[in-house]
Amino acid sequence: MRAFVVRPTSCLKGELKLPGDKSIAHRAVILSAISFGKTILENFPLSEDCLSTITVLKKLGIKINIKGIRVSVFGKGLYGLKPPSRAIFVGESATTFRLILGVLAGQNFRVRLTAGKSLSQRPMLRVTRPLRMMGALIKAKPKTQDSKIKEEYPPITIKGARLKGIVYKMPVASAQVKSAILLAGLYAKGKTMIIEPIKTRDHTERMLKLFKADLKVKGKAILISGKRPLISPRRIYLPGDLSSASFFLVAASILPEAQILIRNVNLNPTRTGLIRVLRRMGAKVKISRLKYQVCEFEPMADISVMHSVLKGTRVKKEEIPSLIDELPILMVAACFAKGMTVLEGVGELRVKETDRIRSMVENLRKMGASIEVRRTRHLENIIIKGVETLKGTRVSSFGDHRTAMSMIIAGLNAKGNTLIDDIGCIDKSFPEFPRLLKSLLISNHK
Ligand code: S3P
């Protein structure tokens, strides 16, 4: 247990450069492993989740060297992976688990994937169903007998097969599911078409194009042709992670004497929902020096933010995938905004590392927030009324990295100290967070 005490402050000042984007990093390692030759990944995030992807690919016979934040992957082509000697433990990374299932669906061997405590409770049917339709043989742990809802969980045993292309209309908006199908599509005979209900992050599509896959995007439909080798770009610079930046964007917006600059952040439009919503709330977020020359496949720029008075807003369900991981920190921003904020259709938050509706509502209520969850027939919505101030108290991370970081930011703008029971979970996505935050804090406590 690593408890953490947050003392309130009004100041946050300085400049940051963040580790590479977690989602892009997973994809970069996987595609490098299944293309031929060496690919160097610069600004690699050394978070537990990204290291899980490296470990899994090493167990599948890929040589990968880590030197600081530079990772070299020695790819062996689409069919170069080797059967592992025993089951592979994926840890807690859902992105690793779901994406690697897509690759394993096209191999001619059997693999058993096991997972940590939290990941073992996350739904997998959303990905096993389309992969079975393509021809993969999959055995997974079903939901307990008494439940009427059909679902599957890790551990999963997958035996690859000769896959066939499918047309798949996705029932849930999920970039992980889309990516698993696209990766399986690389091994399938013919074309695979995926239709999304709402557009989700498109890092896999961009990365596949960078590796010269035959892929076309038309609105919410994506078409990929199988059985073609990938060609590595040899070197990839990973732009800074906007999800990691989001904690600082909100902190700088709510603290009265704040002004910060974050360099080289990924600004892929399928990820920038939080920036759009914060601006709508009145935040002063400025984007400058948009650069493609270092990182040609994803947009990257510097972001500066300073304090402003926020006002409530309505976030529609169509906007949710573009800020799904930023909802916990957006809830914190909403607590300090004037008036009401409504977050519509946030049900997917229930199946993240923890039930993030429960973790955030329970914690913020403890600090004095006015926050409610309302279910309509099809949607789950969160309604937050801004308050004058939150009060520092003892809260829980629920073992969830984004809950922990969001509560630290809430504590900075509260009255009195806030104690977070355990922040060890932050290492899952952003181990540098406590150190970077401290570098911006000026010892000018309220
Ligand atoms: C991710 C997709 C999202 C997101 C997760 C990373 C990805 O999950 O919440 O942190 O890298 O594809 P879903 O696909 O389950 O929405």
Side-chain angles (χ1 to χ4, degrees):
M1 289 287 246
R2 226 166 90 201
F4 190 84
V5 177
V6 189
R7 288 201 293 148
T9 183
S10 54
C11 245
L12 195 74
K13 288 220 157 78
E15 199 177 306
L16 294 176
K17 187 181 150 284
L18 300 176
D21 182 83
K22 178 159 93 76
S23 289
I24 300 177
H26 288 297
R27 284 136 173 104
V29 181
I30 293 173
L31 293 193
S32 300
I34 58 172
S35 62
F36 280 108
K38 179 175 171 184
T39 308
I40 296 172
L41 310 177
E42 310 267 16
N43 198 32
F44 194 88
L46 298 167
S47 58
E48 285 175 1
D49 273 12
C50 294
L51 293 174
S52 282
T53 294
I54 291 182
T55 306
V56 169
L57 284 159
K58 279 184 168 174
K59 295 258 158 76
L60 290 166
I62 300 296
K63 184 177 151 196
I64 301 176
N65 292 339
I66 307 177
K67 230 184 188 181
I69 54 172
R70 171 183 286 191
V71 168
S72 304
V73 183
F74 297 84
K76 289 191 173 165
L78 282 177
Y79 298 98
L81 301 180
K82 287 212 183 85
S85 48
R86 54 177 74 89
I88 302 180
F89 178 65
V90 181
E92 292 291 4
S93 173
T95 312
T96 310
F97 205 100
R98 293 184 176 131
L99 267 58
I100 213 68
L101 279 175
V103 173
L104 294 174
Q107 308 303 317
N108 65 355
F109 52 81
R110 185 191 310 269
V111 182
R112 182 171 158 83
L113 299 177
T114 62
K117 197 168 164 234
S118 149
L119 181 54
S120 295
Q121 290 164 37
R122 296 183 65 182
M124 290 294 157
L125 190 61
R126 49 182 67 195
V127 54
T128 54
R129 182 179 277 148
L131 294 181
R132 282 191 186 108
M133 285 166 66
M134 295 176 84
L137 301 167
I138 301 174
K139 266 197 208 146
K141 198 178 99 195
K143 192 154 191 145
T144 43
Q145 309 249 293
D146 49 320
S147 170
K148 285 196 188 80
I149 311 156
K150 197 168 180 264
E151 194 40 271
E152 288 180 340
Y153 303 93
I156 287 184
T157 304
I158 180 162
K159 165 96 174 59
R162 282 168 201 252
L163 304 181
K164 59 174 193 299
I166 55 168
V167 175
Y168 192 67
K169 219 172 155 194
M170 288 180 37
V172 256
S174 161
Q176 292 175 356
V177 175
K178 170 177 66 176
S179 303
I181 305 170
L182 284 173
L183 289 169
L186 289 172
Y187 294 89
K189 196 170 165 218
K191 292 188 169 31
T192 298
M193 187 194 245
I194 303 167
I195 302 136
E196 297 192 90
I198 306 175
K199 201 158 173 52
T200 62
R201 63 189 70 188
D202 65 356
H203 303 303
T204 306
E205 294 90 309
R206 286 171 186 257
M207 188 71 73
L208 280 166
K209 280 187 185 159
L210 185 69
F211 278 77
K212 306 275 187 256
D214 182 359
L215 176 129
K216 288 188 186 69
V217 180
K218 256 196 179 165
K220 288 180 192 150
I222 308 130
L223 195 69
I224 188 161
S225 307
K227 305 267 176 203
R228 295 172 195 215
L230 296 173
I231 298 164
S232 163
R234 301 285 157 234
R235 184 185 162 276
I236 305 175
Y237 180 86
L238 306 179
D241 194 322
L242 180 58
S243 294
S244 300
S246 69
F247 302 102
F248 300 109
L249 301 187
V250 170
S253 297
I254 60 179
L255 295 173
E257 293 165 72
Q259 179 145 29
I260 61 163
L261 173 69
I262 313 177
R263 294 216 181 267
N264 290 359
V265 185
N266 176 228
L267 284 183
N268 179 319
T270 61
R271 288 283 295 282
T272 46
L274 179 78
I275 296 182
R276 287 188 287 274
V277 171
L278 281 178
R279 281 183 167 160
R280 222 152 69 207
M281 294 171 83
K284 291 183 185 146
V285 181
K286 274 202 193 129
I287 289 167
S288 57
R289 288 159 45 92
L290 193 70
K291 29 201 154 181
Y292 273 100
Q293 66 275 29
V294 209
C295 174
E296 74 281 17
F297 66 113
E298 290 270 358
M300 179 170 87
D302 297 345
I303 311 179
S304 63
V305 198
M306 59 189 283
H307 171 261
S308 64
V309 178
L310 300 181
K311 59 178 193 297
T313 188
R314 175 176 290 268
V315 179
K316 294 242 162 78
K317 73 172 197 302
E318 291 74 21
E319 295 180 271
I320 296 297
S322 70
L323 46 70
I324 182 76
D325 292 339
E326 288 66 72
L327 283 166
I329 191 63
L330 180 56
M331 291 185 216
V332 173
C335 286
F336 295 107
K338 282 208 159 88
M340 194 164 0
T341 297
V342 181
L343 310 172
E344 289 180 356
V346 296
E348 271 294 296
L349 280 189
R350 297 239 183 245
V351 289
K352 295 295 175 190
E353 278 80 342
T354 186
D355 173 345
R356 285 187 180 149
I357 298 186
R358 185 182 151 219
S359 67
M360 290 305 297
V361 168
E362 221 173 284
N363 280 335
L364 289 171
R365 270 197 192 141
K366 260 185 149 181
M367 294 181 79
S370 163
I371 177 164
E372 245 185 79
V373 184
R374 279 192 209 147
R375 273 173 203 267
T376 64
R377 205 142 63 94
H378 302 291
L379 295 180
E380 199 160 8
N381 305 330
I382 295 178
I383 295 113
I384 301 171
K385 270 194 218 132
V387 286
E388 280 295 303
T389 181
L390 294 181
K391 59 175 193 296
T393 183
R394 195 193 158 92
V395 294
S396 172
S397 66
F398 290 77
D400 172 36
H401 55 135
R402 300 201 202 280
T403 300
M405 291 184 274
S406 300
M407 294 319 295
I408 290 178
I409 302 302
L412 289 177
N413 204 29
K415 241 193 181 142
N417 291 353
T418 300
L419 182 125
I420 293 126
D421 62 350
D422 185 13
I423 65 153
C425 50
I426 290 177
D427 293 353
K428 186 175 198 287
S429 67
F430 193 11
E432 303 80 359
F433 174 77
R435 177 176 58 78
L436 291 175
L437 179 63
K438 275 181 198 153
S439 76
L440 297 178
L441 288 171
I442 297 170
S443 55
N444 170 20
H445 291 282
K446 271 181 188 168

